[in-house]
Amino acid sequence: MQIFIKLVREKVAESKVYELNIHPGATIAQLKQQIVSDIDTSISVGQITLLNHTNKPLTVDEATLQDYNVQSNNTLEAQISGGPSYNPQVEPILKQDLISLAKEKAPQFVFITIGSYDNGHLEGVASIKRQQCPDALLMVCKSKGWKLRILLIDDGFIAPPSSKALQIYDVDKDWKLEKEIEKGLVRCYQHKGGDFQLCTYATKVRDNEYGGVEKTLAGVDILKDLAPAVVQNGGCIVVGNFYLATTKPHLALGDKQVLKELGYL
């Protein structure tokens, strides 16, 4: 069938509409690939966010155009993000750390929070702990004997640990700085309560990752390359941005009882 693609780029006032022929049974992933191959080979599939004629995001890559009720001659909007915005020094370190987590055989709770640097929000310590390490998370891992791996991703972490803006390692003195990499762009802390590690990564991520539309980080597919390994070994993984108390995780997989207890399901 024939559909139309309105290409909208970040920070570009003008947009352009293209004609595209595609099978109604094609998936959203296949449509994105066709946009790259037939319309603009300079962009990547990961930069594309699709919206239907009612401005609803088409977020499930495995779903078909039929699933989303896309009809012949409909116009879809393809929003093109600026692409990766990672700090080039931090990205390979974050990528390797994510890959290493997938190789762990013992039960672990992997807690990844994006946009997690606290700039002194009105909630104070409650906001810091929600975004960076809830007390209940420590308690669960202690009681179960699980490893805890916390990854805090935000370019605000370029600030020195002595910054006036308090972070979890300031309010919980059991977190001790173990090492710094790339002059503090990556910092790793250990907690005396167990096999608990927290690392900060001073980098931005892509908009679609920040919003939870894409489940990738630093080139690692969290859903395919990390989450299955964590769950298979009896652990849990939670990914999200927890700036607001009402925010739900982008991803929460593993022991359902534990996830419900912590409020992630």
Side-chain angles (χ1 to χ4, degrees):
M1 66 177 178
Q2 180 189 63
I3 61 174
F4 298 93
I5 302 295
K6 181 181 180 183
L7 217 60
V8 180
R9 298 178 181 275
E10 282 185 346
K11 301 178 182 179
V12 177
E14 297 180 352
S15 60
K16 190 173 180 180
V17 177
Y18 298 84
E19 182 179 311
L20 205 63
N21 289 305
I22 191 166
H23 191 277
T27 65
I28 299 304
Q30 289 169 333
L31 174 55
K32 289 179 180 179
Q33 187 58 59
Q34 192 166 337
I35 290 171
V36 172
S37 59
D38 292 3
I39 295 177
D40 190 345
T41 57
S42 70
I43 61 177
S44 67
V45 169
Q47 291 175 252
I48 302 173
T49 299
L50 288 169
L51 308 175
N52 69 6
H53 63 286
T54 64
N55 212 38
K56 178 182 177 181
L58 310 183
T59 57
V60 181
D61 281 346
E62 295 79 13
T64 66
L65 297 177
Q66 289 173 326
D67 292 334
Y68 278 115
N69 197 30
V70 176
Q71 305 291 321
S72 180
N73 294 320
N74 279 177
T75 298
L76 305 183
E77 183 172 303
Q79 296 181 346
I80 311 302
S81 70
S85 55
Y86 286 89
N87 183 306
Q89 294 174 275
V90 176
E91 184 175 14
I93 301 170
L94 175 57
K95 181 176 183 177
Q96 185 55 56
D97 288 351
L98 291 168
I99 293 172
S100 296
L101 289 174
K103 296 178 180 179
E104 176 60 58
K105 299 303 180 183
Q108 60 180 332
F109 198 115
V110 177
F111 187 63
I112 304 174
T113 70
I114 302 169
S116 48
Y117 184 82
D118 196 278
N119 287 294
H121 300 148
L122 294 177
E123 295 172 87
V125 171
S127 172
I128 295 169
K129 290 187 174 182
R130 181 178 68 248
Q131 294 185 79
Q132 300 182 1
C133 182
D135 288 338
L137 178 55
L138 284 173
M139 292 176 62
V140 164
C141 291
K142 285 180 182 178
S143 66
K144 288 186 169 292
W146 286 0
K147 296 184 176 184
L148 174 60
R149 297 295 182 259
I150 299 175
L151 289 74
L152 307 181
I153 305 171
D154 191 305
D155 57 338
F157 286 110
I158 197 170
S162 58
S163 170
K164 291 182 180 179
L166 298 179
Q167 309 303 320
I168 191 65
Y169 37 77
D170 299 308
V171 300
D172 183 349
K173 297 300 183 181
D174 285 339
W175 286 109
K176 301 298 181 184
L177 181 64
E178 182 186 52
K179 63 179 178 179
E180 291 186 308
I181 305 171
E182 293 291 349
K183 298 181 179 180
L185 289 175
V186 176
R187 296 189 179 97
C188 294
Y189 298 78
Q190 291 287 339
H191 195 279
K192 75 175 187 179
D195 189 355
F196 307 152
Q197 184 183 72
L198 178 151
C199 292
T200 64
Y201 302 85
T203 182
K204 295 180 180 179
V205 300
R206 295 165 56 176
D207 289 342
N208 284 352
E209 294 169 334
Y210 186 90
V213 177
E214 285 187 52
K215 304 300 188 295
T216 61
L217 288 171
V220 176
D221 188 321
I222 303 300
L223 271 176
K224 294 180 180 179
D225 299 330
L226 176 56
V230 173
V231 174
Q232 183 178 348
N233 288 302
C236 294
I237 179 170
V238 170
V239 182
N241 174 281
F242 301 102
Y243 176 81
L244 299 175
T246 56
T247 302
K248 296 297 182 182
H250 300 161
L251 174 69
L253 294 171
D255 188 314
K256 291 185 178 181
Q257 183 177 345
V258 169
L259 293 172
K260 286 181 180 179
E261 180 182 337
L262 293 172
Y264 296 126
L265 284 183

